[in-house]
Amino acid sequence: QVNVQELLAGELLLPFNNHFINLTLVAADFLQLNDVVDAASMYLCRELHPSNALGIFRFAEAHNCKQLAESASAFINSHFPDIIENDEILEISSQMFSRLISSEMIRIESEYQVFQACMRWVKHEISNRKRFVFDILANVRLSLVPLRLIETEIAQCRDMSLKIALRSILKDLTSRRGQ
């Protein structure tokens, strides 16, 4: 049983986990308990990890928690190679994926990491996502990706329509490099 006076005074000790904090943040936002919203947001900021950063970012955007969204976005950008290795990235929409990879703030060692993330995202639900390949790859600086790595991706691709799309992209790249 929760004592409302203790809750409002900030004296209530409750067990913390991300699900509880999410529910608390939503309820506190609805009730305009700004101190509780701030405390819950700070807790989630401390809990940011490559395995949950995208989920926290999406949650923050959905509930208009600007500071939490900014913190999660900064975390995602600075931990991009780790973020793309986690399965959470496979669950985001094409729009969010495009926003993520088109950011000038992501820290990567090479543009090939972005290309690999795109291929992983598309191949996760290939029948639904192959139609996005041109839009997604438009956000990648493909001229910085060695052609042999794109050729390897094409050789390993099992989906014929995706293979054709990648060949088309490769053809465009090689014709531009030859000019």
Side-chain angles (χ1 to χ4, degrees), residues 70-119:
E70 289 172 10
S71 296
S73 180
F75 184 91
I76 290 164
N77 289 334
S78 62
H79 294 86
F80 186 78
D82 297 323
I83 298 292
I84 62 176
E85 294 299 318
N86 281 281
D87 289 344
E88 199 175 40
I89 198 164
L90 301 174
E91 305 307 321
I92 63 177
S93 69
S94 63
Q95 295 88 358
M96 178 169 268
F97 188 80
S98 290
R99 261 179 59 202
L100 177 65
I101 64 170
S102 65
S103 171
E104 291 296 322
M105 304 304 290
I106 58 174
R107 293 188 189 137
I108 54 171
E109 292 178 23
S110 76
E111 198 68 18
Y112 181 61
Q113 290 175 301
V114 181
F115 176 75
Q116 284 181 306
C118 292
M119 292 293 88

Side-chain angles (χ1 to χ4, degrees), residues 6 8-10 12-14 16 18 23 26 29 35 43 58 83 87 101 107-108 116 119 128 146 151 157 162 168 172:
E6 288 178 345
L8 295 175
L12 184 64
L13 297 176
L14 296 169
F16 284 115
N18 287 359
L23 294 175
V26 171
D29 185 47
D35 289 342
Y43 174 84
R58 290 178 5 199
I83 298 292
D87 289 344
I101 64 170
R107 293 188 189 137
I108 54 171
Q116 284 181 306
M119 292 293 88
N128 295 327
E151 290 167 346
C157 185
L162 180 58
S168 172
D172 288 347

Side-chain angles (χ1 to χ4, degrees), residues 16 33 56 58 60-61 64 84 115 122 136 143 148 170 174:
F16 284 115
L33 301 173
I56 290 174
R58 290 178 5 199
E61 278 201 329
N64 201 28
I84 62 176
F115 176 75
V122 168
I136 295 293
S143 60
R148 64 180 167 71
L170 181 62
T174 55

Side-chain angles (χ1 to χ4, degrees), residues 1-3 6-7 11-17 20-21 24:
Q1 186 172 0
V2 174
N3 182 327
E6 288 178 345
L7 176 65
E11 300 169 354
L12 184 64
L13 297 176
L14 296 169
F16 284 115
N17 62 49
F20 175 78
I21 293 297
T24 301

Side-chain angles (χ1 to χ4, degrees), residues 10-53:
E11 300 169 354
L12 184 64
L13 297 176
L14 296 169
F16 284 115
N17 62 49
N18 287 359
H19 180 68
F20 175 78
I21 293 297
N22 290 352
L23 294 175
T24 301
L25 197 148
V26 171
D29 185 47
F30 178 75
L31 297 171
Q32 298 180 349
L33 301 173
N34 294 332
D35 289 342
V36 177
V37 170
D38 291 344
S41 293
M42 287 185 345
Y43 174 84
L44 290 173
C45 283
R46 288 191 305 271
E47 293 297 306
L48 284 168
H49 184 272
S51 66
N52 68 11

Side-chain angles (χ1 to χ4, degrees), residues 151-167:
E151 290 167 346
T152 300
E153 184 66 40
I154 293 169
Q156 294 173 352
C157 185
R158 294 182 184 161
D159 183 88
M160 191 52 71
S161 59
L162 180 58
K163 189 175 248 188
I164 291 168
L166 291 173
R167 282 184 185 149

